[in-house]
Amino acid sequence: MSLFLGICFGSWATMHWLLRSIHDRIVTLGDLDTRTGWARAMLDEIEETTWGVELLESSGDRYVSLPAGTTVRPAFTMDGRPYLKLSRE
């Protein structure tokens, strides 16, 4: 009888623990989806307000990437976008 009750109680406790674990993961997934949506909205706003200007650091040198189609004499071009080298002088 005690063996039977032990098995029943152990099974019940395991199922309860698994259900709680699944529920917590579903809640976490929902929170992450909300945060991802918020982050994408923020990224879209940043891209809109910076006119597509980006910063790049390569081999200790800093560059500014201008939007594609900008008419300047860039230090180099990557992915069709001109990059200007920045200096502290």
Side-chain angles (χ1 to χ4, degrees), residues 2-55:
S2 352
L3 181 62
F4 174 73
L5 289 175
I7 290 172
C8 289
F9 179 73
S11 297
W12 176 83
T14 302
M15 291 305 293
H16 183 70
W17 176 74
L18 287 173
L19 272 159
R20 185 68 181 162
S21 176
I22 291 169
H23 179 267
D24 290 346
R25 289 178 187 206
I26 290 171
V27 169
T28 301
L29 181 62
D31 290 344
L32 291 175
D33 284 343
T34 301
R35 289 181 185 183
T36 302
W38 179 79
R40 284 188 180 139
M42 180 182 277
L43 180 61
D44 290 342
E45 182 181 340
I46 289 170
E47 287 177 350
E48 183 178 317
T49 58
T50 59
W51 305 307
V53 173
E54 293 178 4
L55 302 175

Side-chain angles (χ1 to χ4, degrees), residues 37-83:
W38 179 79
R40 284 188 180 139
M42 180 182 277
L43 180 61
D44 290 342
E45 182 181 340
I46 289 170
E47 287 177 350
E48 183 178 317
T49 58
T50 59
W51 305 307
V53 173
E54 293 178 4
L55 302 175
L56 172 73
E57 187 169 356
S58 176
S59 302
D61 294 328
R62 294 181 179 179
Y63 299 90
V64 174
S65 165
L66 302 176
T70 303
T71 55
V72 294
R73 290 187 173 179
F76 68 95
T77 305
M78 182 171 42
D79 296 330
R81 298 180 66 175
Y83 280 81

